[in-house]
Amino acid sequence: MPSTVSLKVRLRLFRATFGSLGRNFQRGGHLRPIDLARGHGLSTQAVRNYEEDGILPAADRTPNGYRSYTRLHARALAAFLALAPGHGHGTAASIMRAVNRGALDGAFRLIDESHARLMEDRRTLHAVESALRDLTAGAASGPDATLPGPGAAGGPRRPRGTFIGPLAEELGIRPATLRAWERAELVRPRRDPLTGYRVYDEADVRDARLAHQLRRGGYPLGRIAPLIGQVRAAGGLKPLEAVLHDWHSRLSARGRSMLTGAAELEAYLRERG
């Protein structure tokens, strides 16, 4: 997915190119694929692919069979490239296809769904931050007490912690998920010496809650494991401050990209009439 920086560069190139193209259009000129591609730093094959995929309207052909693009195609390409950073390539392509076949309600529904996903991601980030504040404050809302079993007078004392079932229930996940996290080294439960069952101590519960919230935020297991390793090594949650800052920045960039995409799409819709 293009970055916000590359999007700004492409839009500046487009506007500079579009000004000179406009003079050609006033004289009845048309654009070749290379003319359309140059303003965005694209290959001519990419432009042809976008047309074949329905992202651009179908081009007219010259008597020799060459594609002939117009101002409308230039606007369509600018709209797609502006939509992609905020909505994702696939959704941006679907929006443009819907617009090009006249299904504006369908295009607007796709845009609404992207905004809804962004809002849900913001809620998830807020939930992660709340969970981390609770963890930092030492709040232990889940089960974490001495397991039932023989005490000092009746044999070895059972370790403090919780079993896999209660922890999975607290997190709203399946025990199999916790076992998968153990294989990925997100949690490292001990084994109860009497039963052989997994026992999750306070640090394990912290790591499981953290993994759960980060998974909700879209982080893959491969990225979560190093973070939890840093938390263990540091003895706390300080290393996650940079992750949360990055998460905030990515959500803000996504929201701003959606605004830029909306402006370029509106320009394309006006051009379509």
Side-chain angles (χ1 to χ4, degrees):
M1 182 182 298
S3 67
T4 303
V5 174
S6 66
L7 171 62
K8 290 178 180 177
V9 170
R10 285 183 176 182
L11 289 178
R12 281 200 296 269
L13 286 170
F14 166 73
R15 285 162 184 154
T17 305
F18 201 80
S20 62
L21 294 178
R23 292 189 290 274
N24 292 334
F25 290 134
Q26 290 173 2
R27 296 193 297 269
H30 290 268
L31 297 175
R32 300 165 299 170
I34 192 172
D35 299 320
L36 199 57
R38 187 179 292 125
H40 299 282
L42 299 173
S43 68
T44 55
Q45 185 59 52
V47 172
R48 288 191 288 267
N49 290 343
Y50 288 154
E51 181 193 349
E52 291 170 1
D53 289 343
I55 293 170
L56 305 183
D60 291 333
R61 297 280 181 158
T62 66
N64 293 329
Y66 294 112
R67 288 175 171 85
S68 178
Y69 294 113
T70 66
R71 181 187 184 98
L72 183 67
H73 295 91
R75 282 294 187 193
L77 183 58
F80 169 69
L81 294 176
L83 287 166
H87 296 272
H89 185 282
T91 298
S94 296
I95 291 169
M96 294 303 297
R97 291 188 196 103
V99 169
N100 290 335
R101 66 174 180 267
L104 292 185
D105 284 346
F108 297 151
R109 177 181 56 78
L110 292 168
I111 293 170
D112 291 343
E113 289 173 351
S114 281
H115 281 282
R117 283 193 294 272
L118 178 60
M119 189 67 249
E120 183 58 32
D121 288 346
R122 290 191 185 279
R123 291 193 183 102
T124 299
L125 174 57
H126 177 73
V128 170
E129 290 176 323
S130 297
L132 294 183
R133 283 194 296 269
D134 290 343
L135 290 171
T136 302
S141 59
D144 185 26
T146 302
L147 293 173
R157 187 166 182 79
R158 305 287 291 280
R160 292 179 60 85
T162 183
F163 289 137
I164 191 169
L167 180 56
E169 183 177 359
E170 178 202 341
L171 297 177
I173 60 178
R174 298 178 303 162
T177 299
L178 281 171
R179 288 192 285 269
W181 290 357
E182 182 181 351
R183 290 192 294 273
E185 299 187 349
L186 305 188
V187 290
R188 298 185 300 190
R190 302 184 311 278
R191 293 285 181 165
D192 183 283
L194 299 179
T195 66
Y197 294 156
R198 291 171 174 84
V199 177
Y200 297 82
D201 62 17
E202 183 177 349
D204 295 320
V205 171
R206 175 202 65 195
D207 295 346
R209 289 174 180 156
L210 185 54
H212 180 51
Q213 295 292 358
L214 291 172
R215 287 292 290 150
R216 287 185 59 201
Y219 276 75
L221 296 182
R223 289 188 62 188
I224 295 174
L227 293 175
I228 291 182
Q230 292 175 31
V231 170
R232 290 176 185 141
L237 300 166
K238 188 74 173 176
L240 290 177
E241 291 181 2
V243 173
L244 295 177
H245 178 76
D246 174 66
W247 197 345
H248 271 289
S249 297
R250 288 188 290 111
L251 290 180
S252 295
R254 208 165 118 207
R256 189 163 184 176
S257 293
M258 286 181 174
L259 289 177
T260 303
E264 293 294 334
L265 181 61
E266 172 60 21
Y268 176 51
L269 292 174
R270 286 199 306 269
E271 190 74 28
R272 284 175 59 90

